[in-house]
Amino acid sequence: MRKSAKSTLAIAGTLVLVMGIFSVAPGVASAESTEDEGKAIAFDRKKGNCLACHKMADGKSPGNVGPALVNMKARFPDKKAMRDQIWDPTVRNPNTMMPPFGKHKILTEKELDKVVDFVYTL
């Protein structure tokens, strides 16, 4: 094998090794990044705006109209029930002040799922 071919193979092998180090198996880091994205949406005053009504960890200037978002897994053992509540809270309480984030398309389906993933960690 010629020297330039060996160099090319060595570079290619190094590249594969480096890419392998920085790649993550599907589902391993995606949950963390999904939760981080959900937190960003929930805290965004132009999107989820959960802090307008709810107190939650790391939230600055929270409102107190809604309940504090704590111990969510115990409050909603069925994650789908929590998603349904965020999708359209008027189903369970027609007089609620909470906007129906899914029903009124305030959030997209993907954004709603990310918010649910985040809130479920609280």
Side-chain angles (χ1 to χ4, degrees):
M1 194 180 281
R2 295 182 328 177
K3 189 171 185 169
S4 63
K6 286 182 182 180
S7 296
T8 303
L9 284 175
I11 291 170
T14 302
L15 183 59
V16 168
L17 178 62
V18 170
M19 289 174 63
I21 291 170
F22 289 108
S23 69
V24 179
V28 172
S30 63
E32 184 177 317
S33 65
T34 298
E35 291 165 10
D36 290 342
E37 290 175 40
K39 180 178 181 179
I41 295 165
F43 283 22
D44 187 334
R45 300 278 182 193
K46 295 179 182 175
K47 277 290 193 180
N49 200 19
C50 301
L51 286 169
C53 300
H54 300 281
K55 181 179 179 179
M56 66 184 96
D58 296 332
K60 305 282 189 262
S61 301
N64 61 2
V65 174
L69 300 182
V70 295
N71 206 16
M72 297 308 289
K73 289 179 185 175
R75 289 172 56 191
F76 289 93
D78 178 9
K79 194 174 183 179
K80 183 184 178 319
M82 187 178 72
R83 187 187 193 284
D84 291 345
Q85 176 68 15
I86 298 169
W87 171 264
D88 184 5
T90 64
V91 170
R92 288 179 58 190
N93 179 2
N95 297 318
T96 186
M97 295 177 65
M98 184 171 166
F101 286 94
K103 180 179 163 186
H104 287 178
K105 300 183 192 293
I106 297 167
L107 298 175
T108 67
E109 292 288 333
K110 287 182 180 181
E111 289 171 330
L112 188 76
D113 289 338
K114 291 174 184 179
V115 169
V116 168
D117 286 344
F118 163 64
V119 172
Y120 208 63
T121 67
L122 300 175

